[in-house]
């Protein structure tokens, strides 16, 4: 079955540590996105990529980094510069361009310990 | 920035009743989408309505769009316990990414 796989489901980070969240899709979608969701709030865009080897900052990119070396993969690194990383992270993909719904992964819950 | 704002923030209804929630946005859009999120899960795409459309149906879902008022509504008819979830509107403002609102939490009581 086609879909998006996010791993791990739960992740614990120590202060000052970088962690990487995985997002893989087999939908042959060109575009991929990372959103952050805090309790009781909507989704805020961190980074997005319309095509391989190209990506753009979203509304809250500070303290995060991404790469897009393969069409299927869009990993997100939460760096130590992100001061409040505890949140639910959602990855999504869509065909390139406008007018398409997104397919979301099941999310990674990151907690700072 | 979050363009869409849903109203109400929370809604509790009896099974079999209809649920209506609204979304307002600020700038012109190419399309508006509605998503459902069950607790602790990813979002599921429900329906997309383009800026030149006024109404769209999908099963028990009915979406309207009024671009002059910059608002949309989602109606769920004959609600079921399985409809208990958070519902988000998302706008595509011609910039190749979606902006999501804070959502409406719907509880369907048996």
């Amino acid at each position: 079955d086609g879909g998006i796989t996010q791993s791990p489901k739960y992740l614990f980070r120590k202060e000052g540590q970088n962690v990487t969240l995985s997002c893989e899709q087999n939908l042959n979608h060109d575009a991929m996105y990372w959103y952050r969701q805090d309790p009781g709030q909507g989704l805020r865009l961190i980074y997005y990529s319309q095509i391989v080897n190209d990506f753009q900052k979203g509304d809250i990119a500070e303290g995060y980094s991404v790469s897009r070396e393969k069409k299927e993969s869009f990993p997100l690194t939460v760096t130590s510069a992100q001061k409040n990383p505890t949140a639910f992270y959602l990855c999504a993909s869509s065909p390139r361009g406008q007018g398409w719904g997104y397919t979301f992964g099941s999310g990674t819950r990151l907690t700072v310990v | 920035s979050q363009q869409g704002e849903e109203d109400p923030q929370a809604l509790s209804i009896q099974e079999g009743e209809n649920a209506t929630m609204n979304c307002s946005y600020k700038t012109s859009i190419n399309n508006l989408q509605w998503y459902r999120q069950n607790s602790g899960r990813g979002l599921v795409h429900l329906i997309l309505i383009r800026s030149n459309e006024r109404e769209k149906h999908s099963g028990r879902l009915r979406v309207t769009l009024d671009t002059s008022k910059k608002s949309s509504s989602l109606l769920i008819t004959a609600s079921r316990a399985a409809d208990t979830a958070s519902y988000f509107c998302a706008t595509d403002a011609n910039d190749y990414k979606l902006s999501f609102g804070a959502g409406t939490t719907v509880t369907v009581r048996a």
Side-chain angles (χ1 to χ4, degrees):
Chain A
D1 287 339
I4 295 188
T5 302
Q6 288 187 242
S7 62
K9 190 172 177 66
Y10 298 97
L11 187 57
F12 297 91
R13 192 194 95 166
K14 294 181 180 179
E15 295 283 350
Q17 196 177 44
N18 291 356
V19 291
T20 298
L21 283 59
S22 171
C23 178
E24 303 274 336
Q25 55 100 358
N26 61 3
L27 299 166
N28 201 33
H29 286 168
D30 285 307
M32 297 187 75
Y33 314 84
W34 274 105
Y35 286 88
R36 168 180 171 145
Q37 185 177 31
D38 292 283
Q41 297 190 30
L43 281 65
R44 292 184 289 169
L45 183 64
I46 305 172
Y47 269 99
Y48 62 107
S49 168
Q50 289 287 319
I51 199 166
V52 175
N53 293 321
D54 187 41
F55 50 82
Q56 286 77 41
K57 292 182 179 180
D59 300 315
I60 56 165
E62 186 174 350
Y64 300 97
S65 66
V66 293
S67 62
R68 187 84 189 277
E69 297 175 1
K70 297 187 299 181
K71 188 176 185 178
E72 305 80 32
S73 179
F74 192 39
L76 173 73
T77 296
V78 184
T79 74
S80 57
Q82 172 49 240
K83 297 307 177 189
N84 185 23
T86 295
F88 190 49
Y89 291 86
L90 288 158
C91 179
S93 72
S94 74
R96 193 179 177 191
Q98 295 180 297
W100 301 99
Y102 288 7
T103 301
F104 278 84
S106 56
T108 292
R109 190 165 299 280
L110 174 63
T111 304
V112 174
V113 296
Chain B
S1 59
Q2 292 184 303
Q3 153 136 259
E5 291 187 8
E6 288 91 342
D7 172 64
Q9 286 187 319
L11 184 59
S12 180
I13 56 173
Q14 202 74 29
E15 203 165 22
E17 293 180 339
N18 295 344
T20 301
M21 60 210 84
N22 304 296
C23 171
S24 59
Y25 58 92
K26 297 172 185 171
T27 65
S28 63
I29 60 171
N30 175 280
N31 65 80
L32 184 144
Q33 306 179 25
W34 286 91
Y35 289 78
R36 183 186 73 233
Q37 183 181 36
N38 291 94
S39 182
R41 306 296 297 274
L43 278 70
V44 174
H45 181 256
L46 296 176
I47 199 165
L48 181 153
I49 186 165
R50 302 184 193 283
S51 60
N52 61 354
E53 297 175 310
R54 292 297 167 256
E55 188 170 313
K56 207 160 183 181
H57 296 256
S58 176
R60 295 182 296 110
L61 305 179
R62 173 178 169 253
V63 169
T64 63
L65 179 65
D66 186 335
T67 53
S68 67
K69 295 180 180 178
K70 292 188 171 57
S71 67
S72 173
S73 67
L74 171 66
L75 167 68
I76 305 173
T77 60
S79 62
R80 306 166 181 169
D83 294 328
T84 293
S86 292
Y87 293 82
F88 295 88
C89 71
T91 52
D92 181 347
N94 300 303
D95 55 2
Y96 300 96
K97 52 184 167 58
L98 292 182
S99 295
F100 287 80
T104 293
T105 300
V106 175
T107 303
V108 181
R109 306 187 307 273

